[in-house]
Amino acid sequence: MKLYKKLFFCLATCISCISCTDWLDTNVNPNTPTAESALYQNRLPWCQFYLNQGYMIVASNTTYYCGQLASPTGSQQLGATKWALNSSNRANNAQQWFLVPCASNLADMYEKATKAGAWHYAAAAKFMRAYGFMEMTDLFGELPYTEALGESVAPKYDTGKTIFMGCIAELEEAIELFQKEQTEGAVPLSVGDSWNDGDVNKWLKMCYLLKARWLNHLSKKQPGSYKDGKYDTAEILACLNKAHQSNTDNTVIRHTDTNSSTHDVEGWGETVDFSSLFSTVGMNNNRYYVTKAFYDNLTNFGGYGVEDPRADKFIPWVRSKKSSVTPTGIKWSADGTWRRSLGVDLQSNILSNSGPFAISFNATTNSWYCNTKTVERLGDTIYVQGRSGSKGYNSFKDMLYRYSVSNDASAISGAFHVRPSSPTVVASYAEACFIKAEILFRQNNKKEAYDAYKAGVKANIDFVNEQLNTWVAEDATLEKCPSFTPMTQVDIDKFLNEGIGTANDITLGKIMTQKQTAMLYTVEQWNDMRRLDYNKDYFLNWDKPYEYKTTPTYWTYVPQDKYPRRWKQSSYETDYNFVNLNAIGSEVPGALDLPLGKGEGAAWYNSDQIWTLPVWWDSDQE
């Protein structure tokens, strides 16, 4: 059986599940579509769905490397939190979600759209192929690219540079195609586009932003033309001039808190309405805690003594009552009925000692406790997990999670990013601002760097506030919970004017830390940490986790002077394409210097320290 085969069955099955929606418009039996009969406009929304779903599954793992969030449960999330790297990736999931239901359909989509003169669909196909393969090379470094999804039983591996430059070229083709007028009779992009509703200008801005993002990954290369694989700041700024200029340009995937009959049939069998982060994080117990580092950055960024107005939205709350033994330093709502979580200190031994222990609710006394006999864990009620409720999934009356369904006293708020209807941001004005700020700061243009930095912070605050207003407009009772209460303009202005510094004291650390706050749960967090070598000057309050520092077995995979740089290859590759995988090692600087295991089959790609080998863009390799 071919390792990468053109799989249409997945899309055909999906289409058959949604005969009542606008995603299906065909004159053939919807229960038995074929590659020949499937229309390009019908392929697009499902390719978009699976591309994003796969990306967010990856992001729900890689985010935990970065120290802002912690998970004491879940093998991938806990492993990433502690840097126990031999069990902390989703390599198989990452490849499957992109290659099978999305990438395997893009060539046919492109060819049919091109034949019909539907240039915008052809452009979308090129964009998604570039987006997915760039994500794959971000994770694995090398993989089949030029021969992927073709006829080869065992496609050859390409170097990271080949993949990177190929993705840039495909993105540039997408830009050209989006600027072409579609042939008369071609299906309008709005028919199939589930991201931008057919707005070609938004697609173009997204393409330029992604090009700027990817070219900025080359910050370790020598200055020069990006076409030669160099760090091209002039091209990055040129792209940003054509990218997002305000939040209205954002590409945002909107989700709903329902439980529709349209389900994902290729993955977990869940409704497609939900946010991916709700499925991977929000609906699960103990998957989301803010760390002390993140808590401190939200409550006292840069030591300016001004709380970020997003703090109440990103840090979970629990309905509670003060008592004589309530610890000091905990924030309460104005009416004293909600208390905010504290941050989990990853520089302590809390994860090694079964903490933070999940809270339980006593319905008789209407009080919270930790159901454990370990004295050290009894006080973990100060930590509130970001578990979200749902009207669709849990059949609750709103998005507050209730431990006792009919008892409002048992409610916790969840957190902004992981609710069923939390928006997914694919491309944003905020990111464009932070990239611009970084480039200008590197050029010693502190005044304009600060202006871009401040604009990025404001853009994310405004975006968050827009969603908060949407939620309380849909259900006014949510406004009583501080996690949903829209931010006031007074608090926003105070933070922007007094809480983020000035042009005189701007640093790259402030820019990158605010960028991470704005881009929580994206792979870009990990990409930035890698290309800036996990430098504590650039990521404020961050440090390696205590478990990693004190557990010598973890050093087997990441020695103390190294950092997580890539993922180990998926089992599909190591089991079925190991000859080509092994062969590419001679073209990867440092690969053949990795310590190999003993016994038959030991190779560079299954070295215990494969995690520490930089991918191409994360190095000074030519």
Side-chain angles (χ1 to χ4, degrees), residues 4 12 14 30 123 167 192 304 316 366 420 425-426 440 450 466 509-510 515:
Y4 297 111
C14 291
C167 289
Y304 293 109
N366 276 355
V425 181
V426 183
L440 293 173
Y450 176 79
E466 178 187 0
K510 291 173 184 175
K515 182 182 179 184

Side-chain angles (χ1 to χ4, degrees), residues 27-163:
N27 294 321
V28 299
N29 185 343
N31 295 314
T32 58
T34 66
E36 289 72 29
S37 65
L39 306 176
Y40 55 82
Q41 65 266 31
N42 290 341
R43 293 179 190 259
L44 176 57
W46 283 106
C47 288
Q48 289 175 316
F49 171 79
Y50 281 107
L51 180 66
N52 174 71
Q53 189 86 345
Y55 179 92
M56 297 310 296
I57 289 171
V58 169
S60 72
N61 184 193
T62 59
T63 290
Y64 291 96
Y65 295 144
C66 304
Q68 294 144 300
L69 304 175
S71 175
T73 60
S75 60
Q76 291 87 10
Q77 291 89 346
L78 175 58
T81 299
K82 298 194 301 183
W83 285 19
L85 291 206
N86 202 36
S87 60
S88 63
N89 72 329
R90 294 180 176 272
N92 289 355
N93 295 124
Q95 280 204 335
Q96 283 285 84
W97 281 77
F98 170 57
L99 290 172
V100 177
C102 177
S104 64
N105 288 286
L106 294 178
D108 283 338
M109 177 180 158
Y110 177 84
E111 291 169 7
K112 284 189 173 182
T114 299
K115 185 176 181 179
W119 305 116
H120 300 161
Y121 284 92
K126 280 295 177 181
F127 171 89
M128 289 188 288
R129 180 177 162 87
Y131 188 99
F133 274 106
M134 189 66 83
E135 178 194 352
M136 294 298 102
T137 198
D138 286 348
L139 298 174
F140 303 112
E142 301 75 39
L143 65 152
Y145 171 67
T146 55
E147 290 187 1
L149 303 159
E151 298 302 321
S152 176
V153 175
K156 73 172 185 178
Y157 263 69
D158 292 293
T159 64
K161 182 176 183 179
T162 297
I163 302 163

Side-chain angles (χ1 to χ4, degrees), residues 576-587:
Y576 302 110
N577 203 21
F578 55 87
V579 173
N580 286 316
L581 176 55
N582 196 42
I584 199 68
S586 61
E587 300 183 56

Side-chain angles (χ1 to χ4, degrees), residues 306-325:
V306 180
E307 183 166 288
D308 189 325
R310 293 168 294 182
D312 287 346
K313 320 310 166 186
F314 295 174
I315 303 172
W317 293 73
V318 61
R319 197 183 291 276
S320 190
K321 295 180 292 185
K322 289 184 181 180
S323 72
S324 59
V325 296

Side-chain angles (χ1 to χ4, degrees), residues 33 38 57 81 85 123 129 140 179 206 230 246 263 323 360 411 478:
I57 289 171
T81 299
L85 291 206
R129 180 177 162 87
F140 303 112
Q179 295 180 87
M206 177 167 60
K230 307 293 187 181
S246 73
H263 284 214
S323 72
S360 296
L478 290 174

Side-chain angles (χ1 to χ4, degrees), residues 480-517:
K480 298 178 182 178
C481 173
S483 187
F484 287 90
T485 308
M487 295 172 269
T488 68
Q489 195 60 49
V490 171
D491 288 341
I492 294 171
D493 290 343
K494 183 175 179 62
F495 181 65
L496 291 175
N497 294 327
E498 302 176 27
I500 64 171
T502 67
N504 291 329
D505 65 7
I506 184 70
T507 65
L508 187 56
K510 291 173 184 175
I511 294 169
M512 299 312 300
T513 302
Q514 283 295 334
K515 182 182 179 184
Q516 290 214 320
T517 299

Side-chain angles (χ1 to χ4, degrees), residues 437-446 449 506-508 511:
E438 178 186 344
I439 298 297
L440 293 173
F441 181 85
R442 290 177 181 274
Q443 296 176 345
N444 203 33
N445 187 344
K446 291 188 177 181
I506 184 70
T507 65
L508 187 56
I511 294 169

